[in-house]
């Protein structure tokens, strides 16, 4: 039996507050022109204080459950991807489980940053294929705006990020029609840990939380932008080509490429390297900024709701981020 994992529900949520590049001009030494030219971003959504990542995840989950036309009590497992959990521990999976009022099902948190969604999808795919679970809620959520450095040292990062969440319901498809997840391909190279990271808090420090770290700004995310840019442009196309080869497909077979929305220049470069026309690339970073693990499911959910993605289409998903981690996934919609 050729079982496939199929997406039966999709939803996304961004907090209502819109922050434009002009708003950022008032907060730090930057300009709308710089941000648009270097990243393609025009605006992003930021959560209000008091809202946590799990709240965004919950909202997206509700939408996916509604879209799947299931009762939430049917969900038998939760996978949550985020680099910005409400708390240092536990993760947000259990918080989503409690907010939804679900029974004592398992809740797994995935820590693979911008690639978190691809990693989460690959795990869900295995559970469904081997018949462990029948209705998985996969949610990817990110709340970055609460911890950004508005000084010149952090402005390269702080103009990029937005808050948001995307969620999926995944179920088995035994019909033999070939629709669903075709494959996932995961990669990492930990030599690049400190090229894109939040150094503190660190278990290496005893005590972990020290005032000097606040003064040094080491609780903020930091990145070597050019190294990340270069590697993202290299690794995302490589992982797509790797997957296509394994599946015996070519880039001409792909109807839509959905890259992690890290920077519009990266998305266009990835498309150029893969030789896929720009019209076949889903790009929504203009409105949301980089929502890290949530960016692909938000883009997927939006494109499906807009009617761009139709039954039978081949989707190639790819992501790259902190770790470094990267990967691709292929879905026959
Ligand atoms: O989600 C995965 C993780 N993130 C990424 O994939 C992002 C990857 N990297 C990038 O997208 C780009 O490297 C950035 C958008 C972050 C930066 O663009 P860049 O073209 O690589 O700029 P740069 O870092 O080379 O900086 C160019 C100049 C510098 O000034 P000087 O040294 O030339 O005088 C920066 O200080 O731009 C300056 N700069 C800014 N200016 C205005 C850096 N950030 C800003 C800013 N506003 N926000």
């Amino acid at each position: 039996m050729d079982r496939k994992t199929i997406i039966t529900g999709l939803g996304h949520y961004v907090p209502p507050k819109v922050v434009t590049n002009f708003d950022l001009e008032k907060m730090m030494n930057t300009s709308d022109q710089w941000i648009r030219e270097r990243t393609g971003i025009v605006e992003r959504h930021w959560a209000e204080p008091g809202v946590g990542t799990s709240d965004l995840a919950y909202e997206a989950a509700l939408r996916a459950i509604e879209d799947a036309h299931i009762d939430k009590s049917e969900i038998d497992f939760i996978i949550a991807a985020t680099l910005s959990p409400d708390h240092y521990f536990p993760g947000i999976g259990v918080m989503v489980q409690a907010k939804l009022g679900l029974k004592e099902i398992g809740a797994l948190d995935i820590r693979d940053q911008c690639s978190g969604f691809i990693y989460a999808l690959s795990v869900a795919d295995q559970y469904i294929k081997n018949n462990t679970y029948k209705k998985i809620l996969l949610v990817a959520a990110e709340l970055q705006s609460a911890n950004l450095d508005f000084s010149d040292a952090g402005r390269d990062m702080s103009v990029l990020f937005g808050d948001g969440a995307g969620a999926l319901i995944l179920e088995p498809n035994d019909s033999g029609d070939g629709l669903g997840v075709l494959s996932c391909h995961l990669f990492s190279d930990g030599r690049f840990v400190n090229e894109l990271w939040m150094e503190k808090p660190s278990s290496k420090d005893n005590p972990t939380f020290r005032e000097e770290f606040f003064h040094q700004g080491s609780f903020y995310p930091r990145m070597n932008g050019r190294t990340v840019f270069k590697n993202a442009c290299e690794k995302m196309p490589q992982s797509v080509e790797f997957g296509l080869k394994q599946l015996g497909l070519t880039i001409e077979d792909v109807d839509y490429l959905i890259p992690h929305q890290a920077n519009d220049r990266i998305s266009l470069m990835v498309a150029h390297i893969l030789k896929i026309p720009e019209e076949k690339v889903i790009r929504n970073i203009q409105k949301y900024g980089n929502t890290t693990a949530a960016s692909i499911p938000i883009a997927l959910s939006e494109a499906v709701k807009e009617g761009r993605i139709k039954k039978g289409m081949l989707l190639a998903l790819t992501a790259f981020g902190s770790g470094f981690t990267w990967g691709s996934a292929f879905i026959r919609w």
Side-chain angles (χ1 to χ4, degrees):
M1 180 178 59
D2 183 24
R3 171 172 293 172
K4 293 266 187 298
T5 302
I6 195 165
I7 298 167
T8 57
L10 260 176
H12 67 279
Y13 175 79
V14 289
K17 184 176 157 189
V18 176
V19 177
T20 66
N21 294 343
F22 296 105
D23 294 327
L24 294 185
E25 282 185 2
K26 294 176 203 135
M27 302 163 71
M28 67 181 108
N29 181 18
T30 192
S31 68
D32 172 62
Q33 193 190 354
W34 190 97
I35 302 169
R36 275 179 204 246
E37 284 178 8
R38 303 286 177 133
T39 72
I41 300 166
V42 177
E43 59 189 33
R44 70 288 286 144
H45 292 247
W46 282 2
E48 298 287 353
V51 172
T53 312
S54 65
D55 297 312
L56 307 183
Y58 169 68
E59 291 294 338
L62 287 180
R63 286 157 177 76
I65 292 164
E66 196 189 340
D67 189 48
H69 303 294
I70 59 165
D71 190 277
K72 62 185 183 180
S73 63
E74 296 172 54
I75 294 168
D76 51 6
F77 195 67
I78 297 173
I79 304 179
T82 187
L83 68 68
S84 51
D86 294 34
H87 305 286
Y88 194 47
F89 73 85
I92 63 164
V94 292
M95 301 178 82
V96 172
Q97 181 255 351
K99 281 181 207 285
L100 287 170
L102 302 184
K103 54 185 188 289
E104 295 165 347
I105 55 170
L108 170 71
D109 272 58
I110 300 270
R111 288 284 312 266
D112 286 287
Q113 301 68 248
C114 299
S115 312
F117 175 73
I118 303 275
Y119 272 72
L121 185 67
S122 78
V123 175
D125 187 32
Q126 295 306 315
Y127 278 135
I128 296 276
K129 275 194 197 139
N130 71 20
N131 213 19
T132 308
Y133 299 115
K134 290 202 160 42
K135 282 192 176 61
I136 297 181
L137 166 65
L138 190 172
V139 61
E142 223 68 75
L143 198 160
Q144 303 267 20
S145 61
N147 189 38
L148 297 175
D149 178 4
F150 299 130
S151 76
D152 280 5
R155 63 183 174 164
D156 58 337
M157 296 287 270
S158 46
V159 298
L160 291 180
F161 291 119
D163 304 336
L168 275 60
I169 301 294
L170 298 147
E171 300 186 45
N173 172 17
D174 292 328
S175 72
D177 62 10
L179 301 185
V181 177
L182 303 185
S183 63
C184 299
H185 311 277
L186 310 178
F187 304 92
S188 71
D189 190 340
R191 290 175 302 166
F192 294 92
V193 164
N194 55 12
E195 296 291 338
L196 174 53
W197 67 341
M198 194 171 119
E199 188 184 358
K200 311 288 182 188
S202 164
S203 57
K204 289 197 293 189
D205 298 312
N206 188 352
T208 298
F209 293 90
R210 283 192 237 155
E211 214 177 332
E212 70 209 65
F213 297 151
F214 283 101
H215 298 308
Q216 291 158 2
S218 39
F219 286 104
Y220 288 123
R222 298 280 180 219
M223 162 175 80
N224 180 347
R226 286 180 194 184
T227 305
V228 176
F229 195 103
K230 184 175 160 287
N231 278 274
C233 291
E234 208 177 283
K235 302 298 187 191
M236 284 201 276
Q238 271 176 17
S239 69
V240 171
E241 277 162 1
F242 181 91
L244 286 171
K245 199 169 170 204
Q246 295 245 315
L247 290 166
L249 297 168
T250 70
I251 196 69
E252 282 79 33
D253 296 314
V254 174
D255 292 293
Y256 278 111
L257 174 73
I258 310 183
H260 162 51
Q261 310 284 302
N263 178 329
D264 209 35
R265 284 163 52 217
I266 296 179
S267 296
L268 293 175
M269 182 60 82
V270 170
H272 174 76
I273 293 169
L274 286 169
K275 298 191 176 59
I276 185 166
E278 279 178 27
E279 314 83 76
K280 288 187 168 187
V281 185
I282 305 281
R283 297 153 58 204
N284 67 0
I285 197 171
Q286 299 78 4
K287 293 185 287 178
Y288 302 120
N290 176 345
T291 55
T292 323
S295 90
I296 292 178
I298 292 175
L300 177 64
S301 169
E302 204 172 61
V304 168
K305 279 178 183 86
E306 285 168 359
R308 294 175 74 184
I309 295 175
K310 298 185 179 64
K311 194 173 174 182
M313 282 185 165
L314 178 67
L315 311 181
L317 282 42
T318 183
F320 177 89
S322 163
F324 290 149
T325 57
W326 66 97
S328 63
F330 294 82
I331 301 172
R332 179 70 67 189
W333 193 255

